[in-house]
Amino acid sequence: MENTGESMHKSIIIATPNTVFATELKKQIEAVNKLNRVEDIIVSDEDLIEPLEVLNKKIGFKGLIITSDIAKKNNQTRLDYLSDLLVTIRERYPDLVICLLSKEKVGHPFLNEVVHMGIYNIFLQNEDLSINSILGAMDKPKSFSEVSHLRDVDYLIPWRRVSYGPQAIEIKNNGEEGTQKEVLEGNDRKVKIPNIKLPKLSNSKKRNDTSDELEMLDEELMDIPIQKEIIMQEKIVGTVVIGVTCVAAHLGATHTAITIATYLREQGHSVALVEANYSEDFDRIHALYEGEKHHLWQKSNFDLHGIDHYKYRDSMSLGEILTGYEYVILDIGDLNSTSYYDEFFRSHVKCVVCSSLEWKHHWIETFLDNLPIQDDLNFIVPFGTDDVISDIQKIVGNYKVIKMPTNKVPYNTNSETKSAVKTIMDGFIKTSDQKLVTRSTVLIACLASVVITALIFGTLVIL
């Protein structure tokens, strides 16, 4: 029988940036038991410790319901920092019952760390979630066996440069402003731990001098995964990944991604087009192609004009897709709302779609302000005139700015769009001797070999 959470009254803090969700959750928690009380709703990780200190002084049941998108900076979710924050809370408030509502899919290293720190009340986005299941887990926490599968890690998901697990954040209670200190551990590894004044939490790094900048650059370089390409004598071998995003939503990232995919397919390359956003556009395209009025949810991918389209699904494995094609195009869309944020920066070719309208050019400036340092962006301007291209070039500096001509049907390219895509793909267009040998290619070759051998053997027998 499902536990309704009525066994004891509870004092709870809700931590989520979604205030509408938090307000509704508060209403339902207090409706289940009139003695239940939501003490506070916190929308930022930096404001979480102070109310927890107050809650910790109360007698009775104490709980925290926290969503994984609480730790954000510049619209980027910092899951590694959230992991450090959770282990700090776990150590500092041992009687606190924590429920984590996570948007991350199975295989994410963040979930692995949460399980290993002993937090088992984890609810994933695709689970059936109710107020009774949350309060029930607070009364009777989930068992290790229920969440042990979350320890399995997909190593293609970017994570900490050095995998040493979450590190507790040191908090000073005397109200003094702490300074960052270094702690020497095990193998002479220096871990920077900030002393933080209540109630704020911050582990931001400051660039004080040139040496600090060089140190941070080294760390960023070491974050780069094993190369998916090998450059030998200026030849590209392996899968080329193209990320397509935009400075704001609904500016044409999907249209641009399809245009690039179409050009590459016309050149005879194997191409996968991956929907790396929540728009459901690929479901709509598939339904229109099949002449259906409703989404074909049961199918997660489809072939259209020789391009394999992969619809966004929580269970989608990008690693498996990367091994089978010469080109993989990620239709990321709005960079601030995708779970493939890091994959954009890992792409070989990075495309940023922006508006040609002058009053929307401030979106480009905002995008650049929130962007990590990059040296290889392509700003793509649909319907852009030469004057507009010149204006945007002044905004973006040394980045490439490319005019994408009018093309109502992206599955049909013309000479102008082909020229634009060539400019975008500069240095990453493969020649015929650089084809990727995929598993399916090898299988077909083996089958052909068997058939030919059988034919030859049969002929010899007849003779």
Side-chain angles (χ1 to χ4, degrees):
M1 176 179 284
E2 187 179 30
N3 193 330
T4 62
E6 295 183 350
S7 58
M8 66 173 71
H9 69 273
K10 301 169 176 62
S11 296
I12 296 172
I13 287 177
I14 299 172
T16 177
N18 188 336
T19 54
V20 175
F21 170 74
T23 302
E24 180 61 27
L25 187 60
K26 176 181 185 296
K27 185 189 303 182
Q28 293 191 32
I29 288 172
E30 294 178 348
V32 168
N33 187 332
K34 292 182 179 180
L35 295 177
N36 286 345
R37 181 175 175 82
V38 174
E39 303 290 345
D40 211 340
I41 294 175
I42 308 301
V43 298
S44 169
D45 59 326
E46 295 183 343
D47 298 325
L48 185 54
I49 293 299
E50 184 177 31
L52 286 177
E53 286 287 313
V54 174
L55 183 67
N56 194 47
K57 297 175 183 177
K58 292 181 176 290
I59 298 174
F61 183 95
K62 297 176 281 288
L64 170 65
I65 300 174
I66 184 169
T67 60
S68 62
D69 55 352
I70 185 71
K72 280 196 174 185
K73 186 175 183 180
N74 294 333
N75 292 319
Q76 180 183 358
T77 302
R78 306 171 296 166
L79 290 174
D80 53 346
Y81 176 61
L82 177 58
S83 182
D84 293 344
L85 179 59
L86 284 173
V87 79
T88 303
I89 293 172
R90 186 97 168 94
E91 293 177 358
R92 190 174 180 85
Y93 314 109
D95 296 330
L96 183 70
V97 178
I98 301 173
C99 282
L100 172 68
L101 311 185
S102 178
K103 292 185 176 181
E104 286 58 53
K105 62 182 180 181
V106 175
H108 201 291
F110 168 68
L111 299 175
N112 170 278
E113 290 192 357
V114 173
V115 171
H116 278 288
M117 68 179 72
I119 298 175
Y120 299 157
N121 287 340
I122 303 171
F123 297 89
L124 303 185
Q125 192 174 31
N126 57 352
E127 291 184 32
D128 290 331
L129 189 63
S130 68
I131 190 63
N132 287 339
S133 59
I134 295 175
L135 296 180
M138 285 188 160
D139 282 332
K140 185 180 179 181
K142 289 187 176 184
S143 65
F144 174 75
S145 62
E146 291 179 85
V147 295
S148 60
H149 65 287
L150 300 180
R151 296 178 301 158
D152 298 332
V153 174
D154 180 353
Y155 291 100
L156 290 173
I157 298 176
W159 194 235
R160 302 177 189 271
R161 177 170 62 90
V162 181
S163 183
Y164 50 77
Q167 302 292 302
I169 300 169
E170 184 175 329
I171 301 172
K172 298 189 78 172
N173 286 307
N174 55 12
E176 297 177 1
E177 187 68 35
T179 56
Q180 197 174 60
K181 66 178 183 178
E182 291 183 342
V183 178
L184 198 63
E185 295 190 352
N187 55 357
D188 294 334
R189 174 176 57 80
K190 289 182 178 179
V191 180
K192 290 184 178 180
I193 300 179
N195 292 328
I196 303 164
K197 178 181 177 181
L198 286 173
K200 299 291 185 182
L201 283 180
S202 175
N203 66 346
S204 59
K205 298 177 181 177
K206 296 181 179 179
R207 300 189 178 189
N208 293 324
D209 53 38
T210 305
S211 62
D212 286 341
E213 291 180 0
L214 292 174
E215 180 182 349
M216 290 186 69
L217 181 58
D218 287 342
E219 291 181 2
E220 290 171 1
L221 290 175
M222 292 185 71
D223 270 332
I224 298 174
I226 297 173
Q227 285 185 293
K228 300 185 184 79
E229 66 179 38
I230 302 173
I231 301 178
M232 299 177 61
Q233 298 179 349
E234 298 183 350
K235 292 184 178 181
I236 302 295
V237 180
T239 303
V240 175
V241 180
I242 304 158
V244 183
T245 185
C246 45
V247 298
H250 310 300
L251 290 181
T254 299
H255 194 284
T256 301
I258 295 173
T259 300
I260 296 172
T262 300
Y263 170 80
L264 293 171
R265 186 69 192 96
E266 289 175 348
Q267 305 310 305
H269 300 293
S270 58
V271 182
L273 188 54
V274 179
E275 185 178 38
N277 62 76
Y278 308 103
S279 67
E280 300 179 4
D281 282 344
F282 282 24
D283 281 294
R284 296 183 182 92
I285 292 171
H286 189 198
L288 287 170
Y289 176 68
E290 297 291 347
E292 300 288 342
K293 293 183 179 180
H294 304 288
H295 292 352
L296 305 174
W297 297 110
Q298 70 276 17
K299 294 186 178 180
S300 60
N301 59 79
F302 62 99
D303 179 348
L304 179 56
H305 299 302
I307 302 167
D308 287 339
H309 294 61
Y310 288 86
K311 304 174 185 178
Y312 179 86
R313 296 291 187 267
D314 289 333
S315 59
M316 181 169 60
S317 174
L318 187 57
E320 293 179 5
I321 298 173
L322 287 173
T323 61
Y325 299 88
E326 292 174 88
Y327 291 92
V328 173
I329 303 170
L330 303 179
D331 174 18
I332 291 172
D334 183 11
L335 195 58
N336 292 328
S337 60
T338 179
S339 57
Y340 287 85
Y341 181 94
D342 293 312
E343 293 304 325
F344 174 74
F345 298 105
R346 293 173 182 271
S347 301
H348 302 91
V349 181
K350 305 176 184 66
C351 303
V352 183
V353 181
C354 53
S355 174
S356 62
L357 300 175
E358 186 176 0
W359 60 88
K360 294 183 179 181
H361 287 177
H362 67 280
W363 289 348
I364 303 173
E365 297 171 351
T366 302
F367 179 87
L368 289 171
D369 288 342
N370 294 327
L371 200 69
I373 297 172
Q374 299 293 312
D375 59 1
D376 55 353
L377 296 178
N378 298 280
F379 281 85
I380 299 172
V381 190
F383 317 114
T385 63
D386 291 340
D387 289 341
V388 169
I389 298 300
S390 178
D391 290 341
I392 293 177
Q393 191 70 70
K394 294 174 184 176
I395 297 173
V396 304
N398 293 326
Y399 294 131
K400 272 198 299 187
V401 181
I402 301 155
K403 176 171 60 176
M404 183 63 74
T406 303
N407 187 28
K408 292 184 178 180
V409 182
Y411 290 103
N412 298 327
T413 60
N414 54 41
S415 59
E416 292 181 323
T417 54
K418 288 177 181 178
S419 177
V421 176
K422 281 183 183 178
T423 304
I424 294 168
M425 296 297 299
D426 182 35
F428 288 95
I429 297 291
K430 296 183 180 183
T431 57
S432 58
D433 62 339
Q434 295 174 273
K435 294 287 185 177
L436 176 67
V437 180
T438 65
R439 288 173 293 183
S440 57
T441 306
V442 172
L443 181 60
I444 293 170
C446 290
L447 289 173
S449 176
V450 170
V451 172
I452 293 170
T453 302
L455 290 173
I456 294 172
F457 181 75
T459 302
L460 290 174
V461 169
I462 293 171
L463 294 174

